[in-house]
Amino acid sequence: MAETILAVDDDIDILELVEASLTADGFDVITASNGRGALESARDHAPDLILLDLMMPEMDGFEVIERLKSDAATRTIPVIMLTAKAQTHEKIQGLRSGADDYITKPFQLDELTARIEAVLGRTRPTKYINPLIGAMGDQFSESGVEQLAFHLKTAAIIQQKLLPQKSPDLPGYDIAGVLRSSMTISGDFYDFIPLTENHLGIAIADVRGKGIPAALLMVMIRTALRLVCREESSPSAALKRINDLLFADTDPDLFATMIYGILDTESMTFTYSNAGHCYPLYLKNEGSTITSLKAGGMILGSFDFATFQSETIHFAPGDGMLLYTDGATETEREDDGILYGEEKLIECIDTNKHLSAQMLCDAIEADLLRFSGKQNHRNDDLTIVAIKVKHGEK
Amino acid sequence: MEIVVRRRDDVTILDVAGRIAGSDSLDLKRAIDAQIEIAAGNIAKIVLNLERVRIVDSFGLGVIVAAYTSIQRNGGRIALLNVGGNIKNLIVMAKLMTIFDRYDNEDEAVASFQ
């Protein structure tokens, strides 16, 4: 698509000449013969560049630039000034007020084209974020970017506070969780919720997508879980209620996967329900066999008819359970794009099963990093929760 | 992502190649939305051929789920063709096997609409 140039000059002869020349160069040209018309055209047509005469009656070029730069809709349009006199102070004033370049009249048409091409070459890359500017208000000014960064940082701190600040201290159990975000804020979360003296709610979830939208949904789901888990004694009923809440409030493509379970330290059972989440890995017979538990229901929030089932695991001393998000199994090897996968994860757990819950999480994280071949960079959020039943005490 | 749109009788086949992942998935969303619009009033009959799709992530799965819902809402139907590897695992894990009609053979997929 041809780029559009808005040419502004009160001299009709010059306007016609410029229009003919730039049209021949393949640009779409619109014209205005005064400052007010220029501002209107700039707003209505969002040209790719404005060629602006400084010396005009009523509103001069400086004022036009000032107004263009104070309007979010026109702020980013590059401006080339046309100055009649070779006066240095005028050029400096123009450049200071935000013009990108200047041309001194009289000028060669070749020079005009060359300068336009040079300015467009510099500004083309940023043009594509222009549509965002309307949506983000003032965020693209320098103070706006600073403010956005501050908001993100604050959001990250709020979110960090929604994660367990320390591992639950349950006699006979060793429980830990880690969350590594690929961005400042995360779509993953895990939670430890003390329900009664010997019942602990344990959750892990992965919200579709990344960044701000995922983080908002994460907060919503975490809040819903915190409220619902006190009213529903079965994990499947809790997930069903969260599903219905999400279904009512969001589009079907916004969904989450989640495991919610209740650890009963008295009966040594873990009763859980899985909503489309990565299968929990069960370390049985003191961890000598590691199996993935495939029972479960649909993803959360996409279907009103989704149903969920609960399943109960009976723990023995030495057993364990590992919950994780797909940031683990879908870690991609940089060289060939091969995915880490469940099998490798099981191998890694098998190698490190003697470690404490926290160290097991750390060992898996380290193995994923080694596998990916990347230095410290994650493409997706990663969350791991490890539950280990201690030996000899209960 | 590359999407080729073909027609067989009144069934639209979308041959997708590449990754249905991240914001790229929106290309697929636009292509499906366009087909729903073209069907306008008539029942949308869509086969999504995933034979040459290497990876689907959760974002991509969301697009397919949303497509299923909006086509269903218009009285239409979407069938998945050649669901393999990573995509199959994802659908199995998300417990969506019962939602999507899946076929390994294009003739069967097309015939299922008759």
Side-chain angles (χ1 to χ4, degrees):
Chain A
M1 209 174 71
E3 284 165 305
T4 304
I5 312 280
L6 167 61
V8 188
D9 203 311
D10 59 330
D11 184 334
I12 303 299
D13 291 339
I14 290 188
L15 264 191
E16 280 181 359
L17 178 69
V18 166
E19 185 176 7
S21 164
L22 293 180
T23 306
D25 287 334
F27 293 107
D28 286 338
V29 182
I30 46 178
T31 60
S33 56
N34 58 53
R36 214 162 293 283
L39 290 174
E40 269 174 32
S41 271
R43 279 203 69 104
D44 294 350
H45 301 284
D48 296 289
L49 184 141
I50 299 173
L51 201 57
L52 178 68
D53 183 24
L54 284 185
M55 300 294 285
M56 292 186 293
E58 292 173 63
M59 192 190 294
D60 68 10
F62 295 115
E63 192 180 342
V64 173
I65 295 178
E66 205 172 292
R67 295 207 183 186
L68 286 170
K69 295 298 168 190
S70 63
D71 183 341
T74 55
R75 178 176 301 154
T76 57
I77 303 172
V79 176
I80 297 180
M81 306 175 285
L82 286 173
T83 66
K85 291 163 280 177
Q87 282 180 330
T88 311
H89 77 270
E90 239 187 12
K91 292 171 192 163
I92 292 174
Q93 190 188 346
L95 291 172
R96 279 210 175 120
S97 60
D100 295 85
D101 202 353
Y102 61 84
I103 296 175
T104 312
K105 288 184 192 172
F107 53 84
Q108 300 284 323
L109 289 171
D110 287 355
E111 187 193 357
L112 177 69
T113 310
R115 291 209 184 248
I116 288 175
E117 280 296 345
V119 170
L120 283 177
R122 284 200 299 274
T123 55
R124 247 174 227 134
T126 53
K127 185 185 145 193
Y128 298 101
I129 58 171
N130 280 3
L132 281 176
I133 291 171
M136 301 192 69
D138 203 25
Q139 307 287 19
F140 272 87
S141 65
E142 201 174 316
S143 68
V145 169
E146 251 169 51
Q147 206 178 20
L148 183 63
F150 174 72
H151 286 168
L152 274 176
K153 218 163 123 188
T154 316
I157 292 170
I158 293 173
Q159 210 181 24
Q160 198 61 42
K161 285 193 176 150
L162 295 179
L163 293 174
Q165 299 303 303
K166 61 186 185 67
S167 293
D169 188 16
L170 280 184
Y173 290 85
D174 174 17
I175 300 171
V178 298
L179 189 155
R180 299 281 176 253
S181 182
S182 60
M183 296 184 179
T184 325
I185 48 182
S186 163
D188 277 10
F189 80 92
Y190 69 98
D191 206 357
F192 301 130
I193 313 167
L195 296 170
T196 69
E197 202 183 323
N198 46 24
H199 289 88
L200 176 73
I202 298 176
I204 186 166
D206 182 356
V207 174
R208 187 221 67 170
K210 281 181 271 192
I212 298 172
L216 283 174
L217 203 58
M218 169 260 166
V219 171
M220 189 170 154
I221 294 171
R222 191 254 184 203
T223 308
L225 171 69
R226 281 261 165 170
L227 294 172
V228 162
C229 71
R230 312 218 171 256
E231 294 168 14
E232 303 290 348
S233 57
S234 99
S236 54
L239 288 188
K240 175 64 181 162
R241 277 188 59 189
I242 297 171
N243 178 75
D244 293 354
L245 286 167
L246 279 185
F247 179 81
D249 286 346
T250 63
D251 289 333
D253 60 338
L254 275 180
F255 65 83
T257 66
M258 179 166 168
I259 293 171
Y260 171 57
I262 299 172
L263 178 67
D264 182 338
T265 56
E266 197 60 39
S267 64
M268 290 184 76
T269 55
F270 182 61
T271 303
Y272 74 97
S273 184
N274 184 349
H277 196 83
C278 304
Y279 306 132
L281 296 174
Y282 175 27
L283 290 75
K284 221 167 23 174
N285 306 327
E286 307 206 350
S288 61
T289 47
I290 302 172
T291 49
S292 56
L293 305 173
K294 297 195 160 62
M298 283 176 197
I299 51 177
L300 280 182
S302 290
F303 303 101
D304 53 353
F305 53 81
T307 56
F308 305 91
Q309 302 77 39
S310 294
E311 191 176 67
T312 299
I313 297 293
H314 292 268
F315 279 136
D319 284 359
M321 183 80 73
L322 193 103
L323 312 175
Y324 63 94
T325 55
D326 61 6
T329 41
E330 285 178 13
T331 292
E332 220 175 314
R333 190 155 64 193
E334 196 169 38
D335 301 343
D336 50 13
I338 299 270
L339 302 181
Y340 187 77
E342 191 188 65
E343 209 172 305
K344 264 198 130 32
L345 179 60
I346 290 176
E347 270 172 44
C348 178
I349 297 169
D350 193 43
T351 312
N352 297 289
K353 63 194 175 197
H354 57 283
L355 297 175
S356 71
Q358 184 63 55
M359 286 170 75
L360 176 59
C361 293
D362 295 344
I364 294 168
E365 194 191 346
D367 197 46
L368 289 171
L369 203 61
R370 250 194 316 274
F371 175 84
S372 73
K374 289 181 199 165
Q375 297 297 318
N376 243 332
H377 174 74
R378 302 208 49 80
N379 288 328
D380 195 3
D381 303 333
L382 167 71
T383 304
I384 308 169
V385 171
I387 306 164
K388 296 190 80 179
V389 188
K390 290 184 188 168
H391 283 282
E393 44 178 316
K394 201 193 100 174
Chain B
M1 186 199 305
E2 276 176 51
I3 303 169
V4 176
V5 181
R6 294 183 285 137
R7 253 171 230 290
R8 274 185 61 180
D9 305 327
D10 57 347
V11 178
T12 305
I13 302 170
L14 278 76
D15 296 311
V16 188
R19 303 161 65 104
I20 309 181
S23 50
D24 290 351
S25 328
L26 296 176
D27 291 346
L28 179 62
K29 181 179 166 58
R30 278 188 281 271
I32 293 173
D33 287 348
Q35 291 308 317
I36 296 174
E37 204 160 303
I38 289 168
N42 294 315
I43 292 167
K45 300 175 178 177
I46 295 176
V47 173
L48 201 57
N49 180 9
L50 301 171
E51 187 174 8
R52 291 173 60 215
V53 174
R54 203 167 66 80
I55 279 180
V56 177
D57 71 356
S58 62
F59 208 94
L61 182 66
V63 166
I64 298 174
V65 165
Y68 166 87
T69 310
S70 49
I71 291 170
Q72 189 98 339
R73 205 174 286 148
N74 294 350
R77 208 179 116 235
I78 186 167
L80 305 186
L81 179 60
N82 299 315
V83 179
N86 150 278
I87 315 165
K88 190 167 179 182
N89 290 342
L90 196 66
I91 292 178
V92 170
M93 204 179 267
K95 297 287 180 244
L96 300 179
M97 290 303 252
T98 52
I99 298 267
F100 294 118
D101 298 324
R102 287 163 301 114
Y103 300 90
D104 295 324
N105 173 307
E106 186 176 312
D107 292 337
E108 277 177 34
V110 172
S112 72
F113 285 94
Q114 305 314 320

